[in-house]
Amino acid sequence: MPAGFDLLNASPAELDRYGIPQKPDVVTEPELFQFWTELVSAPFSAKQPTFADIDPPSTGGALQSMLNWSGALISTPWPQQIVFAAAGWNVPDVRRPSVSALGTHADDPKSLLWVGLDGRNGVLPNVSLPQIGTGHWPDRKPKHFAWWDWWHNSQPDEATGKSATAPEPQAITLIDNLAIETGHKVLAGLAVQVSGDILYFIKNQSTGEFRSFLAPPPPGEIEPLGSSVQWVMERPTDPKSRDLFPLPDYDPVNFRYCVARAADGAIGSGRMMTLEDNALMIEMRETFADPERTVIVSRPELRQETPNGPIGVSCTFQDPAV
């Protein structure tokens, strides 16, 4: 992108050329327009992303009975689909929890923050979940990083109704040339393309560094995208054992710009959706010993920063020792 290029007044073709999501309508989609304006405003420095495997491997994934997600979800009215989703948050500091959870993979707490499409009914065949966000692992150096994934549930065997020998789930992928640190402001989102590809984008608003890329759907058949959009604090899964990692103790996370576009297709206007559209709030639970108990460890709450401002969701760690 040429130095000093004016993205605020760029044409649709120019935005496509530089990997920028299309400008929302200021009248019909004011909150999406506000997000987009901040996204493309200074400081802004775009580079091609570079990717790397995460070590040790870890996977995101679909909702598992309030065991792995905490946050908020909205579903789109049929037959429309979510074609654009936005989010913003500040990078939280994370620490080892005061108590070790039962039934987890190793004593290695991990958390993922993300915005994504679908994944609510992850036990159904061919459900997928494109997601982009940041990871926060207290025992990793650096402990904060950017990542993306397009999770996919495979088709069960038609004769038995059971999944064939499933391959090991694909681990999330690092965006390893986008540095983030505690307190940095992150903007991220997904834009579904006419081709079925997805434009993933993420910006460290504190440094101005922006990364975007197109990704095709995962191999095999997937259900149509966009039945829901979610803003989530997640504890990931070990791909070999399929056990969840423990959740770290984290500073409160305030998701901003919890807005999306529901439409009949990837081109043209649609209906802006927010957390006022019958949001489902998701609490996360873990099990602990002495005494054995299952308690809420991450609790979401709707938040409105100003009387006329958009509604966000805050996720707060609940100390199991208290």
Side-chain angles (χ1 to χ4, degrees), residues 85-87 89 113-117 130-133 188-190 229-232:
W89 61 88
L113 288 171
W114 52 269
V115 56
L117 302 178
Q131 48 192 164
I132 188 166
L190 305 157
V229 56
Q230 44 273 333
W231 299 268
V232 169

Side-chain angles (χ1 to χ4, degrees), residues 86-150:
W89 61 88
N90 286 10
V91 175
D93 198 9
V94 288
R95 300 156 292 276
R96 296 182 61 82
S98 60
V99 181
S100 296
L102 297 175
T104 57
H105 180 78
D107 187 21
D108 187 11
K110 301 180 179 183
S111 62
L112 303 173
L113 288 171
W114 52 269
V115 56
L117 302 178
D118 302 336
R120 177 181 181 182
N121 297 313
V123 297
L124 299 178
N126 302 324
V127 169
S128 71
L129 170 59
Q131 48 192 164
I132 188 166
T134 55
H136 314 283
W137 300 0
D139 293 340
R140 182 182 184 273
K141 293 183 180 181
K143 63 181 176 181
H144 305 301
F145 57 89
W147 65 278
W148 74 282
D149 192 25
W150 195 334

Side-chain angles (χ1 to χ4, degrees), residues 255-300:
F255 282 102
R256 307 181 307 279
Y257 294 125
C258 296
V259 288
R261 178 188 300 132
D264 296 324
I267 296 179
S269 61
R271 173 187 174 218
M272 191 179 76
M273 299 190 69
T274 72
L275 291 174
E276 293 181 279
D277 291 290
N278 297 316
L280 172 67
M281 308 301 289
I282 306 166
E283 298 175 334
M284 186 193 301
R285 292 175 168 84
E286 283 186 287
T287 300
F288 300 89
D290 300 324
E292 185 167 331
R293 65 210 186 276
T294 299
V295 298
I296 296 169
V297 290
S298 182
R299 189 187 303 273

Side-chain angles (χ1 to χ4, degrees), residues 15-16 48 63 65 76 90 101 121-123 142 145 159 171 194 230 234 249 270 296 302 306 322:
L15 294 174
D16 279 343
Q48 287 277 44
L63 179 62
S65 301
T76 185
N90 286 10
N121 297 313
V123 297
F145 57 89
V194 175
Q230 44 273 333
E234 178 178 8
D249 181 349
I296 296 169
L302 294 179
T306 62
V322 175

